[in-house]
Structure formats: structure tokens, C-alpha cells
Amino acid sequence: MMFRSFIVLAVLASASAAEVPSFRNTIQPILTRYGCAMGACHGAAAGQGGFRLSLRGFDDEGDWISITRSANGRRLTLEDPARSLFLLKAVKAVPHKGDKRFEVNSPEYKAIADWIAAGAPGPKADDPRIIALEVEPKQLVTKPGLTLPLKVTAKFSDGHSEDVTRWTKYNGVNASVAAVDEQGVVKTTGRGETAISAWYLSRLAVSTIIVPNDGRVDEPAFAQMKPRNFIDEQVLTKLRALNIPPSGRAEDHEFLRRAFLDTIGVLPSLEETRAFLADKSADKRDRLIEALLQRPEFVDYWSHRWSDLLLVNGDKLMPQAMWSYYNWIRRNVAANTPWDMMVRDLLTATGSTLENGAGNFFILNDEPTKCAETISVAFLGTSIACAKCHNHPMEKWTNNEYFAFANMLSRVRTKNGTQADERVLFSSDDGELVQPLTGKPQPPHPLDVTTPVSMTSTEDRRVPLAKWLTGADNKLFQRAIVNRVWANFFGSGLVEAVDDLRVTNPASNEPLFAAACDHLVQHKFDLKVLMRTILQSETYQRSSVTQPENITDLRYGSHYVPRRLKAEVLLDTVSQVTAAPTTFKIDKRNANRGTSESYPMGFRALQLPDSNIASYFLKSFGRADRVATCECERTNEPSMAQALHIANGDTLNQKLAQKDNRLDALLAAKLSNEKIIEEAYLIALTRLPTEREAAKAADMLAKASADDRRTTLEDIFWGLMSSKEFLFNH
């Protein structure tokens, strides 16, 4: 034992002559880079083969103990590092299920051997900490089939920088444009734009690779596009860079239908359609936009949208509370409350949940970590959930930051009120959330804030939280709401998925995204101003008809991308066209006590406060169940169930067969066959039929017997409403 101690002391003395590799800044990146600390290996929750590391090395102290102390320290041989099991398995000198990780005498091998020879020192409090990560080139415009190496540089708190290209983990967003290997060498494979992310010591940097289309689009294709506002300017700049030509302007009937459905979720009436198509004035589109923003249906539509986001759900809330929550949302939409003010009022809500409906947000999110995760997704557009167990693998959020953020919500309390089903929300003077890794409360502070809130203060911590969250300098807050509004009008966000705003998932047009956020802040978070700007842009008013050169573009605004109508909008339009309202019944399997069995006749799907509706149509067409704050809850993807329901399901057929509906009104009006067909097309598709369509449909009516005339008209309406032109917004 004395001889071993003498050897160790001698090794430490000789190692002091050279710089000893840092466990935190040298060994941990190696373990991550070569997969040892990843989820498929020892970074798994249970580890592998009795050896467990934290995922991507987020727990330096714990990993050091696991390597040097667990299994009686048998993984290291300090007097002869080359005999250390820690190295022998990595080079597969002994059997290793994880296969060979690196070669003998490689830089990785030497760094670990030097660390072991120095006595395997652990992480130190005064270790330099990484403060920035940079990747070069930051942006590159290139051609297919070329390769280029990336260079990654880490900057540390003591002022020094290191080339860490070799130790960095890389990931490509779109392999059809470019792929990256483990050494950071990028190979372009196709055309378009992609991002390559570089990860090192919980820091991320992104390189953008642009591969324009072949040839050169004629400048007149761009010159004829007159920008209306900053949206058009930034979109045209992007299209020029990618060499993608824009499509022309949408026809009046296309814009009319599109704007109605995207803004208020209903079709224009027959009279509105005729008036708009007949109007020859130059400003008619602007006047239509202004009218739509003032319509009562606007309140219905956006109340429903924000009810999805804030999870208004009669399965989770008692009836009075659910209505109180929904009506709070409606009042704010109707008053056009600025988004920052609405969110601030929500997050600082106190008192009775029946009188102040916003308080029900905390009834639904009744635990600090759940509440923190919901806030981050709903209002920051990013998920911090991964950081609950370990540092986020695709974002900058650490495990400590997660619990610091959640601890801002640890003093929210509720008690019973004086009325049935009433809860009273208040802030307690004490209560902390313990960080499981340390067993101590994490000093509370918002994300991206280094100064913690005083743990002895009795101030409601939600007040500084809401102030930080809604502040004009909180870019994530701005980006989250801009991305949601943009996705409503264009079918996809500037970042997709809509609530996946992270460094490693860049926007399709970052200058446009930044300009839109600045626009929102300049107008004090007035969402109607943002909507008006979008609707007025030539980008939004562009045709959905593609050109050969832009047919593959789904992100950059060269044309309007058609998408299927949302479940509620589609059901309401079917009811509107047939003039046959839907009766909505409460789903008794989920509904809380005291709820009536159905809503009054005439309620539209977009007016429903609750998601617990027994509707096969809404379920089949992908409504949100409002269980979790995530855009993934709603789906617009087509399915066989949808196709079958349109073809022979009850909804469409029953509404067409219903007495005293639209068809009966048309037949009773004694219109000519041609006039009936014209009105059918205007009502369903917001356009006049082509000559061929009009002649064919009128001929069908003319040949039908008196007894079959209504059935024939049903077939014509069914054909219109089962067409892509009706089912999709274009």
C-alpha cells in the first residue's frame, strides 16, 4: 500500500509539470463526442453494464464519482493508466459491447491517459466555464456535391479560446440538402437550405448551408412583384438567394375565400361573394381585410384558437370554472387586449377562479414543473421538459435552469371558495422546489436570467416572472406568438413545428422573423396589426398555382401552400353551405357533473368553449383534445377515415337530406337550372362555375325527373363539398 501511494505521488508530481486535462472541459466532451454519455450507452437512465453516466455529461460531479469511485474504483489504474479498464474498453483491448470508441495514442486516448496519470482529478469550482461557441462558416452559399470542413471554436470565462472541432457533436436538419459526418465535414447533396448544428459542453452553434437552384430566374419574375411591406421585401430577398421564382397574384375569388377562412373561419355569404367579385375598386382587398378584423366571427375564431392553446377543457375543469376561463379569453379577444398584457394578467391571476377565469390556468397546471413546462411551450414556443432530468440535448437549457424556472412557481396555492366548485388562487409567503440532483432548492430565476429572485422575499414570484416573460426584450416571447399567428395564415410557421423554437431548428427566413417581431413590439403587441400586415402582403395574396421552379417550395413563400381545413372550420362550412346547423352533444364519458347534455341549436363548432364534444367528425378530422399544450394535438393530415366519412358518412349526407335546408330553398325559389348551379358554386367554392362545369351540372338537373330533382341537386352539392377545392384552403 505504501509503495502504491508512493507511485501515485510520483505520478502527480510529474504531471504537475504539464497542464492536467480538465475533467469538466476535456474528459466530459470526449465521453459525449464518442457516445459513451449518450442515451444509447452509459448515458441511459439505467446506464449500461453497471456503469452509468449523466446524459451528455450534464452532471460533472456525479460522473466523476461514477468513474473514479463506483465499482471500488476498478475502472482506473492510476499507477499505469494504459491498464485502466476505462481506456482498455474504449480501444476494445478487452471485450466491450459498445465497440471501439477511438484508437490507442489518439488525442482522445492521450488526454484521458494524462488525466488518469495526474490522479484523475475531479471538477473544480474555479474551472473555466464555456461562455460561447462559434462555428465557421456561419453561412455558406454553395453547389451540390461539394464537401467542406466546419471549424468550431469554444470561448471560456478565463479569456482563452480552443478549437474544439474534433470534440463536437454534429447534426444536420435536412439531409436532402446537406449531411454532416462525425468529423464535422459537410457534404451537399441537393438544393435548398439547411442548418448544421454543433454541440459542445451544452452550447450550440448553427451553420446555414444554402444551395440555390440551377440557372438564373429572369429578373422580371421578381420585378413585377411590387412589395407591399417588409414581409414581401424579406420574402423576395430570400427567393432571390435560393433562385426560386414567385407565383403570380391570387384571383379575387381565391383571396376572398382564403381570407375569410384564415381570419374568421367561415365562408362569405352569397351576397358578400357577389359584391366582392363585382367590386372594381383598387382598395377592395384592404377594405375586406379591415371588415374581417372587426367581425363578431373574429372573436369566435380566435377565442377558439387561444382556448386550444390554454387548454380550456370541461374534463379538467368544473362547468362554471370552464365557462369562466373561456369567457375571460373571449373578453380579451373582443377587447383586442395586447398579447403581452393578456399573458401578464393570466400569469399573475389571483382570487376566485369563477370571478377571474384566468386563475383556472393554475388549476389545470397545479404543480410547479408542469406549470413551468406549459408556460415555456405556450408563451415561449419551446419545450424545457427534457431539462427536468438532464441538460437539454438540443437547446441551451440546463437542469439547474429548469428547476430555477419552476421554482418561480412553487408558491402558488389554492383553497376552497364559498361557492360550489370555486377555488381561490393566492401566493404563499414560503415554499421551495427542491432540485433532485443536489437535494436543495434551486435559487429561483427566469430562463436566461442569471440574477436569482430573493428566496426570503414575500413578493409573489409570478410578478417578476410575468414582467420578464412579456418584456419587450424577450425575443422568445415575441417569436412564439409571431410564429403561431404566421402559421395560422400560411399553414406552417416560420419555424416548424410551431412550438419548437430552438437554436437547432432555425427559421426558414430569419431576417423576416426578426422584422415581424420588431413590428409586433413597435405596435405594442397588437395582434390585429400583425394580422393586417400579413393579410395585406403580396406574399399572402400570392396564388397557390405553382411553377416548375417553385413547386417543391413549402417554406419560403413563393406561392400559397394549400392545406386541409381545420376540423371545426370544415364542419362549420359544411353546415353553412347546406344551411343545416349541427347539434353538439356533451361527451358524457368525459364531462364533469352538472353539464347539460347538449349546446343550443345554432352553435357553431368554433363557438364551443369545450373540447369534450361527442363528434365523430371533429375527432376524425383531428381536433385538439386540449390535454397538453402542443400543436401536435391537432392534425390536418388526411386519413382513410376522413375519406370514408366524406364519401358515405352521416355528417354530409344527413345535412344534404335534411328538410328545409339550402337545397330546398334553392328549389323553392324557382330558379333556372343555370342559376341554381351558379349559386351552388358561389356558396360552396366562392366562385362562378366554368362554362364546362355549368353546362354539365345544368344538364344533370335538366334530365332529372321531378321526383329525382332534389336527389340530383344533392349529388351536385356532394360533389362540390367532397372536392379538394372545398376541403382545402387554397
Side-chain angles (χ1 to χ4, degrees):
M1 176 65 74
M2 289 181 61
F3 179 68
R4 177 185 172 99
S5 299
F6 174 77
I7 291 176
V8 171
L9 290 172
V11 168
L12 288 171
S14 62
S16 65
E19 185 178 353
V20 177
S22 162
F23 180 79
R24 188 191 309 277
N25 294 327
T26 303
I27 306 305
Q28 287 284 53
I30 292 173
L31 298 179
T32 299
R33 160 66 177 79
Y34 289 94
C36 309
M38 301 301 283
C41 197
H42 300 292
Q48 291 284 352
F51 180 34
R52 181 181 178 276
L53 296 170
S54 63
L55 186 66
R56 295 196 178 211
F58 81 92
D59 181 8
D60 295 315
E61 189 70 30
D63 289 348
W64 177 74
I65 291 172
S66 182
I67 293 167
T68 62
R69 299 292 188 267
S70 67
N72 296 319
R74 71 186 184 92
R75 294 188 176 91
L76 303 183
T77 304
L78 300 182
E79 61 271 26
D80 187 358
R83 291 172 51 205
S84 297
L85 192 62
F86 194 59
L87 275 175
L88 292 173
K89 286 207 168 190
V91 298
K92 209 176 180 182
V94 297
H96 182 214
K97 289 184 179 180
D99 208 359
K100 181 184 286 188
R101 299 287 88 188
F102 43 76
E103 300 291 339
V104 175
N105 291 327
S106 65
E108 297 80 10
Y109 183 94
K110 291 178 179 178
I112 294 175
D114 289 346
W115 172 70
I116 297 173
K124 301 174 183 177
D126 60 351
D127 281 336
R129 300 301 180 104
I130 187 170
I131 57 174
L133 193 70
E134 296 179 353
V135 60
E136 298 176 15
K138 190 173 182 63
Q139 180 173 303
L140 180 70
V141 180
T142 184
K143 298 178 180 179
L146 300 181
T147 60
L148 66 143
L150 298 176
K151 180 181 178 181
V152 184
T153 304
K155 296 183 177 181
F156 291 86
S157 57
D158 62 355
H160 87 280
S161 298
E162 292 181 20
D163 182 343
V164 295
T165 306
R166 186 182 182 93
W167 322 117
T168 299
K169 293 285 290 183
Y170 301 95
N171 184 57
V173 174
N174 186 355
S176 66
V177 176
V180 62
D181 64 17
E182 293 183 347
Q183 286 71 45
V185 177
V186 177
K187 182 175 182 180
T188 55
T189 55
R191 300 188 182 278
E193 183 181 48
T194 189
I196 304 296
S197 63
W199 188 98
Y200 178 82
L201 284 177
S202 292
R203 291 281 178 165
L204 287 154
V206 174
S207 175
T208 303
I209 310 297
I210 300 173
V211 186
N213 286 339
D214 273 334
R216 190 70 212 167
V217 176
D218 293 335
E219 183 57 30
F222 290 101
Q224 66 183 357
M225 297 295 163
K226 303 298 183 183
R228 176 72 186 273
N229 51 40
F230 71 88
I231 293 176
D232 300 326
E233 292 169 356
Q234 295 294 347
V235 166
L236 290 174
T237 298
K238 188 71 171 185
L239 293 177
R240 277 191 174 97
L242 294 171
N243 203 24
I244 300 174
S247 293
R249 213 177 195 223
E251 295 184 28
D252 281 346
H253 70 85
E254 293 174 315
F255 172 76
L256 175 67
R257 184 178 191 272
R258 180 189 304 174
F260 262 81
L261 291 172
D262 283 342
T263 310
I264 64 175
V266 299
L267 292 171
S269 68
L270 176 63
E271 294 73 25
E272 288 169 330
T273 299
R274 287 192 183 278
F276 185 80
L277 297 182
D279 191 345
K280 302 302 180 184
S281 58
D283 66 341
K284 69 176 185 179
R285 293 194 181 192
D286 282 355
R287 287 189 285 107
L288 173 68
I289 291 167
E290 205 57 45
L292 291 175
L293 294 174
Q294 307 306 321
R295 292 270 293 252
E297 296 95 337
F298 178 92
V299 179
D300 297 334
Y301 182 80
W302 288 96
S303 295
H304 190 276
R305 293 281 288 154
W306 302 144
S307 293
D308 276 355
L309 181 69
L310 300 178
L311 307 180
V312 180
N313 188 332
D315 184 33
K316 305 294 183 181
L317 295 171
M318 300 306 290
Q320 281 185 279
M322 182 268 291
W323 274 106
S324 176
Y325 195 17
Y326 175 71
N327 286 330
W328 177 85
I329 294 172
R330 278 193 69 91
R331 286 195 300 272
N332 279 280
V333 174
N336 194 33
T337 303
W339 182 248
D340 60 336
M341 187 184 298
M342 181 176 170
V343 173
R344 191 160 54 245
D345 290 347
L346 178 82
L347 295 184
T348 57
T350 57
S352 167
T353 56
L354 302 185
E355 296 175 5
N356 184 1
N360 289 288
F361 177 82
F362 294 96
I363 303 300
L364 293 167
N365 300 282
D366 56 356
E367 192 272 325
T369 58
K370 180 181 179 182
C371 194
E373 291 173 13
T374 299
I375 289 172
S376 70
V377 174
F379 306 124
L380 298 175
T382 186
S383 174
I384 63 170
C386 291
K388 184 175 184 179
C389 301
H390 48 74
N391 290 352
H392 203 300
M394 294 178 290
E395 252 293 1
K396 60 184 179 180
W397 314 124
T398 66
N399 184 242
N400 284 341
E401 285 178 308
Y402 175 95
F403 282 97
F405 184 54
N407 203 16
M408 295 290 290
L409 299 152
S410 61
R411 295 184 175 181
V412 180
R413 302 284 188 273
T414 61
K415 61 183 179 181
N416 290 330
T418 57
Q419 304 179 55
D421 303 334
E422 181 185 30
R423 301 290 291 169
V424 177
L425 192 71
F426 66 98
S427 175
S428 175
D429 292 342
D430 56 18
E432 305 291 347
L433 181 66
V434 173
Q435 153 68 292
L437 195 63
T438 63
K440 301 176 182 178
Q442 190 71 30
H445 63 77
L447 298 172
D448 266 348
V449 175
T450 55
T451 305
V453 174
S454 172
M455 297 179 72
T456 59
S457 172
T458 58
E459 179 189 23
D460 187 344
R461 290 177 180 175
R462 294 177 301 158
V463 174
L465 171 63
K467 183 179 180 181
W468 160 81
L469 183 77
T470 61
D473 57 347
N474 190 334
K475 297 299 182 183
L476 270 180
F477 179 69
Q478 302 160 23
R479 290 167 72 90
I481 187 59
V482 166
N483 205 40
R484 291 189 191 282
V485 173
W486 187 273
N488 178 82
F489 289 97
F490 287 95
S492 61
L494 288 162
V495 171
E496 192 64 26
V498 171
D499 43 24
D500 191 19
L501 301 181
R502 50 185 163 84
V503 177
T504 53
N505 187 28
S508 58
N509 191 329
E510 185 55 45
L512 170 59
F513 205 179
C517 291
D518 291 342
H519 181 70
L520 182 68
V521 174
Q522 289 167 8
H523 290 88
K524 303 184 184 303
F525 290 90
D526 186 333
L527 296 186
K528 279 192 177 181
V529 172
L530 177 61
M531 294 174 193
R532 182 183 295 112
T533 304
I534 290 173
L535 287 162
Q536 288 179 342
S537 71
E538 290 298 323
T539 301
Y540 178 78
Q541 296 187 27
R542 202 156 280 151
S543 173
S544 60
V545 178
T546 60
Q547 301 177 17
E549 298 85 359
N550 69 18
I551 191 170
T552 59
D553 170 31
L554 300 177
R555 303 190 67 196
Y556 303 113
S558 62
H559 59 93
Y560 186 88
V561 179
R563 79 271 191 181
R564 206 210 70 214
L565 299 182
K566 294 180 178 68
E568 295 86 353
V569 174
L570 183 55
L571 181 55
D572 282 349
T573 55
V574 169
S575 299
Q576 182 182 354
V577 169
T578 58
T582 303
T583 300
F584 293 103
K585 296 183 178 180
I586 303 298
D587 190 339
K588 295 182 180 180
R589 295 170 300 174
N590 298 326
N592 273 309
R593 58 182 173 82
T595 307
S596 60
E597 292 188 0
S598 63
Y599 288 92
M601 176 64 73
F603 251 69
R604 292 183 293 110
L606 285 174
Q607 294 175 316
L608 295 169
D610 192 7
S611 59
N612 284 316
I613 302 300
S615 170
Y616 180 79
F617 187 97
L618 293 178
K619 181 179 179 181
S620 298
F621 282 84
R623 71 172 175 198
D625 290 329
R626 299 181 182 174
V627 175
T629 302
C630 178
E631 285 294 320
C632 58
E633 272 213 331
R634 178 179 294 279
T635 176
N636 288 335
E637 293 298 317
S639 68
M640 184 57 69
Q642 296 169 11
L644 292 174
H645 194 67
I646 291 295
N648 55 20
D650 293 339
T651 304
L652 202 55
N653 289 326
Q654 286 182 359
K655 288 182 181 298
L656 287 170
Q658 185 173 314
K659 296 299 182 183
D660 299 323
N661 65 1
R662 176 84 64 181
L663 283 68
D664 287 328
L666 286 174
L667 293 172
K670 305 298 183 182
L671 302 174
S672 66
N673 293 335
E674 290 75 14
K675 197 66 174 177
I676 290 175
I677 300 306
E678 178 183 297
E679 296 209 353
Y681 270 80
L682 288 170
I683 292 166
L685 303 182
T686 324
R687 69 170 174 85
L688 292 168
T690 65
E691 289 184 8
R692 182 174 180 274
E693 289 169 337
K696 187 174 182 179
D699 185 57
M700 289 175 61
L701 277 178
K703 290 180 177 179
S705 64
D707 292 339
D708 291 338
R709 188 170 174 78
R710 193 188 194 284
T711 303
T712 302
L713 189 56
E714 286 183 20
D715 291 342
I716 291 171
F717 266 89
W718 181 90
L720 293 175
M721 290 191 290
S722 63
S723 68
K724 290 182 180 179
E725 190 174 354
F726 180 83
L727 299 174
F728 283 72
N729 197 359
H730 51 85

